Amino acid sequence: MFIDHTAETAPEAARRTLAATEKKFGYLPTAVARLAESPQLLDGFLKLTAIFDSTSLDPVARETVIMTMATHNGCHLCVAMHTAALLRLDADPALVTALREDRPLPDERLRALRDFTLTVLAHKGDVPDDDLAAFVAAGFTTRQALEVVLGIGAYTLSTFANRLTRAPLDEPMTPFAWAPAR
């Protein structure tokens, strides 16, 4: 139902973004091609992710939030893409596996981050004081608690849009394929 746009077929407002994305990755990810149907959504997602990437959370911590959202929302595409991102960051393979399989994380600090992310989701932001205190006790700050909310927002948009458009896994991501546990 959703069109796999190209830089030539996309709405005018998305064409430059598609061309730049294709240049950056060497191919145009189908998810981006489908999101281009709404240039505003595509632009909003890219801006939100750039802002999230500029937070005080380190890259592996950011990817932990993203993978938590991807598995929580069942976005096979996001899990594959961010598995690849974690491997590019030389993340501990045990961490990557645990994130993908929703098992306890081997790193206590990152476990606290994933737990906090899930608590924010479960309580719709109304995080109990003890849970916020545990997050801070794990070495995070209240600023970073808010940055987690930013990541949740950005990747709720992405995971929902990718599921809505039924974006398939592109060939370069097939080595990182994931299916949710049933």
Side-chain angles (χ1 to χ4, degrees), residues 55-66:
T55 65
S56 67
L57 292 166
D58 66 79
V60 173
R62 288 192 306 270
E63 289 296 331
T64 298
V65 172
I66 296 165

Side-chain angles (χ1 to χ4, degrees), residues 26-67:
Y27 71 100
L28 182 60
T30 306
V32 175
R34 291 185 181 186
L35 296 184
E37 183 68 24
S38 171
Q40 295 80 6
L41 182 134
L42 180 58
D43 186 51
F45 170 65
L46 294 174
K47 285 178 179 175
L48 282 173
T49 58
I51 294 167
F52 184 59
D53 286 348
S54 74
T55 65
S56 67
L57 292 166
D58 66 79
V60 173
R62 288 192 306 270
E63 289 296 331
T64 298
V65 172
I66 296 165
M67 285 288 280

